[in-house]
């Protein structure tokens, strides 16, 4: 503001005008209170009945009654293609199932057999950064529960936070840090439908220890024990990757890999008592890793994808045959 009287007068006038406007607004609101907009809580975006209708639709399309459910991560869509003689259902065919995805051509469910077991796989998941509420992103897990899935295999691509991890390595998830959930963005916020599970439940052993041990056994069997790790996954909202300062923060809080998915699916799976096995394929190097040529990283990633397919097949085989 200048020192001239004209500006001082203008300011006083502006303040008086603002006060009058505020008083007018208050009077108007008292006469007709503004309508409250109630947002649907996360847990109620898809009701039990909605999920049941989707499950029934899938059941009507295939004779497969799956025991294993697979969620394919980015770079891992080929896991769905391992399924033999699949019935392929486009998400858009299933009533209400279709949400926003960046990759529409992968938006397919595959139901069939893998290593003799009945399996259903989502070739593409829904992400929060694509504009889907977190309660919608995890809805397919509930549909899988109603399809009779006992074992949920959740896979994803991630960046290494642990400086010992390389691109193409696989991290068996033993625990997670759910930053979205910690700041009030859980798929279970809202009314609890007891038909799915209890209001409060433990997340200890959420990533089934016996299944992790089976996977570690497999790592030895296939000679990959030096590139299959067991660690903690952290979920951020994305879509931007972390800044270096955020990366350092993640290192300090004990994360080994970071991505933008998985945890809300696992929360919902544990709520309805599914057994969970999860792994992340390291697709982006840690900021501490030496710079490698793009071609080397791509070759490592391709190796990792192959190991990941082997891991999935052997896990299904062992569990299905009680080995
Ligand atoms: O978690 P998935 O679906 O594997 O995808 C990961 O890869 C994408 C980023 O490249 C992000 O969506 C991240 O979460
Ligand atoms: N947050 C995050 N998620 C990823 N998913 C795949 N790569 C990355 C990454 O670098 N950061």
């Amino acid at each position: 503001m200048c020192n001239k009287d004209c500006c001082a007068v203008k300011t006083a006038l502006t303040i008086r005008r603002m006060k009058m406007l505020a008083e007018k607004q208050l009077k108007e609101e008292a006469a007709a209170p503004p309508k409250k907009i109630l947002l649907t809580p996360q847990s109620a975006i898809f009701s039990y009945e909605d999920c049941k209708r989707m499950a029934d639709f899938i059941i009507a399309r295939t004779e497969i009654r799956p025991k294993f459910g697979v969620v394919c991560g980015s770079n891992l869509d080929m896991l769905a293609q391992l399924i033999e003689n699949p019935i392929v259902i486009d998400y858009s065919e299933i009533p209400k199932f279709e949400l926003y995805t960046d990759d529409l051509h992968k938006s397919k469910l595959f139901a069939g057999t893998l290593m003799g077991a009945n399996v259903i796989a989502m070739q593409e998941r829904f992400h929060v950064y694509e504009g889907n509420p977190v309660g919608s992103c995890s809805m397919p897990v509930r549909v899988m529960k109603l399809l009779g899935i006992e074992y949920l295999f959740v896979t994803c691509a991630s960046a290494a936070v642990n400086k010992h991890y390389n691109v193409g390595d696989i991290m068996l998830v033993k625990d997670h840090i759910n930053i979205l959930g910690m700041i009030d963005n859980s798929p279970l916020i809202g009314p609890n439908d007891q038909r799915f599970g209890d209001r409060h439940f433990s997340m200890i052993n959420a990533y089934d220890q016996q299944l992790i041990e089976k996977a570690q056994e497999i790592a030895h069997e296939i000679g990959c024990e030096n590139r299959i790790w067991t660690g903690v996954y952290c979920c951020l909202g994305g879509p931007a990757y972390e800044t270096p300062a955020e990366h350092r923060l993640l290192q300090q809080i004990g994360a080994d890999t970071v991505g933008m998915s998985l945890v809300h699916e696992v929360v919902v799976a544990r709520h309805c008592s599914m057994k969970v096995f999860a792994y992340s394929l390291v697709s982006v190097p840690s900021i501490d890793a030496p710079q490698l040529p793009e071609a080397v990283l791509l070759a490592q990633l391709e190796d990792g994808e192959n190991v990941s397919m082997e891991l999935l097949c052997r896990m299904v085989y062992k569990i299905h045959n009680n080995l």
Side-chain angles (χ1 to χ4, degrees), residues 110-323:
F110 286 62
T113 57
L114 180 64
M115 310 301 287
N118 286 347
V119 177
I120 191 159
M122 276 185 85
Q123 204 185 15
E124 166 83 340
R125 61 155 55 85
F126 304 121
H127 298 94
V128 173
Y129 64 79
E130 287 163 329
N132 303 300
V134 69
S136 303
C137 292
S138 51
M139 165 276 287
V141 172
R142 290 187 155 176
V143 175
M144 286 196 186
K145 172 71 184 177
L146 298 178
L147 285 173
I149 301 294
E150 289 170 46
Y151 294 92
L152 184 68
F153 285 19
V154 201
T155 69
C156 66
S158 61
V161 174
N162 186 318
K163 61 179 184 211
H164 301 295
Y165 293 9
N166 295 309
V167 166
D169 287 358
I170 287 174
M171 187 192 79
L172 311 173
V173 183
K174 67 169 180 190
D175 204 345
H176 73 219
I177 302 172
N178 179 1
I179 295 199
L180 293 182
M182 283 175 171
I183 53 164
D184 186 24
N185 199 5
S186 161
L188 298 177
I189 286 186
N192 182 55
D193 193 323
Q194 199 68 33
R195 287 172 289 182
F196 283 119
D198 293 340
R199 164 54 93 194
H200 302 290
F201 56 99
S202 171
M203 285 295 285
I204 297 172
N205 202 30
Y207 298 88
D208 192 279
Q209 183 56 30
Q210 283 183 343
L211 298 183
I212 292 176
E213 282 164 19
K214 240 181 240 305
Q216 288 167 335
E217 250 172 59
I218 293 171
H220 279 91
E221 280 168 20
I222 60 177
C224 286
E225 61 275 20
N226 56 351
R227 50 186 303 196
I228 297 190
W229 307 85
T230 304
V232 176
Y233 173 89
C234 179
C235 172
L236 302 183
Y241 292 151
E242 320 55 67
T243 64
E246 288 164 346
H247 195 99
R248 296 270 168 252
L249 173 76
L250 297 176
Q251 284 174 330
Q252 283 175 23
I253 61 175
D256 294 298
T257 57
V258 59
M260 307 164 197
S261 68
L262 192 126
V263 298
H264 29 277
E265 294 160 352
V266 173
V267 165
V268 164
R270 290 305 298 150
H271 180 238
C272 61
S273 307
M274 291 162 112
K275 279 198 184 216
V276 173
F277 171 66
Y279 62 83
S280 80
L281 172 65
V282 177
S283 311
V284 176
S286 151
I287 54 173
D288 300 309
Q291 292 253 329
L292 292 175
E294 195 64 24
V296 174
L297 295 176
L298 278 177
Q300 288 178 347
L301 193 58
E302 208 176 301
D303 270 2
E305 289 166 5
N306 291 335
V307 173
S308 149
M309 290 195 271
E310 186 74 30
L311 178 62
L312 176 75
C313 292
R314 287 181 183 245
M315 282 297 284
V316 168
Y317 182 78
K318 281 197 181 226
I319 300 170
H320 187 54
N321 295 294
N322 296 316
L323 298 173

